Amino acid sequence: MAALGAPLRTLRALRHAAGCSYRDSPAYRHVLAAFRAHWVTGEKLCRAQQELHFQAATYLCLLRSVREHEALHREYHGRGERSPQEVAGLVGFRLPQQPGGKG
């Protein structure tokens, strides 16, 4: 597994990945409250901070993956049924015109 990096960097990246309304996100508020509760001071060293940092990094990965999935889904998702003229144009053909100017 790759190194996690600095916890503050992870928290800032999480804030940017959550979007403009990140403060309204219950998950972001939970992670922030947990970070504050497990803050390392000179008097106390909490082992749960590494676990918390890992959870924050995992949530950040989830947010980035969901955003990337949505972008790929928008780009490659089918748009429904196409007309025969549209399908013919996609493959480089033209449909024959009907007599009497109907097509």
Side-chain angles (χ1 to χ4, degrees):
M1 170 167 200
L4 290 175
L8 188 58
R9 179 177 287 168
T10 302
L11 189 61
R12 286 181 180 157
L14 183 63
R15 180 173 48 203
H16 292 295
C20 60
S21 62
Y22 67 92
R23 291 178 191 229
D24 298 333
S25 169
Y28 177 78
R29 285 185 292 182
H30 169 72
V31 169
L32 186 62
F35 260 100
R36 288 181 178 154
H38 295 93
W39 203 257
V40 174
T41 64
E43 303 163 0
K44 173 178 134 182
L45 177 64
C46 183
R47 292 183 184 173
Q49 186 181 23
Q50 289 179 347
E51 180 182 345
L52 178 64
H53 185 195
F54 179 75
Q55 288 177 354
T58 303
Y59 181 61
L60 173 63
C61 179
L62 171 74
L63 287 177
R64 287 178 177 166
S65 298
V66 165
R67 183 173 291 159
E68 185 176 334
H69 169 74
E70 287 174 354
L72 290 172
H73 185 72
R74 277 193 305 271
E75 184 174 348
Y76 293 109
H77 185 66
R79 294 178 183 87
E81 193 170 332
R82 298 176 187 226
S83 68
Q85 293 84 6
E86 202 176 353
V87 173
L90 286 174
V91 295
F93 294 122
R94 290 185 311 181
L95 292 178
Q97 293 190 354
Q98 294 181 354
K102 285 187 172 181

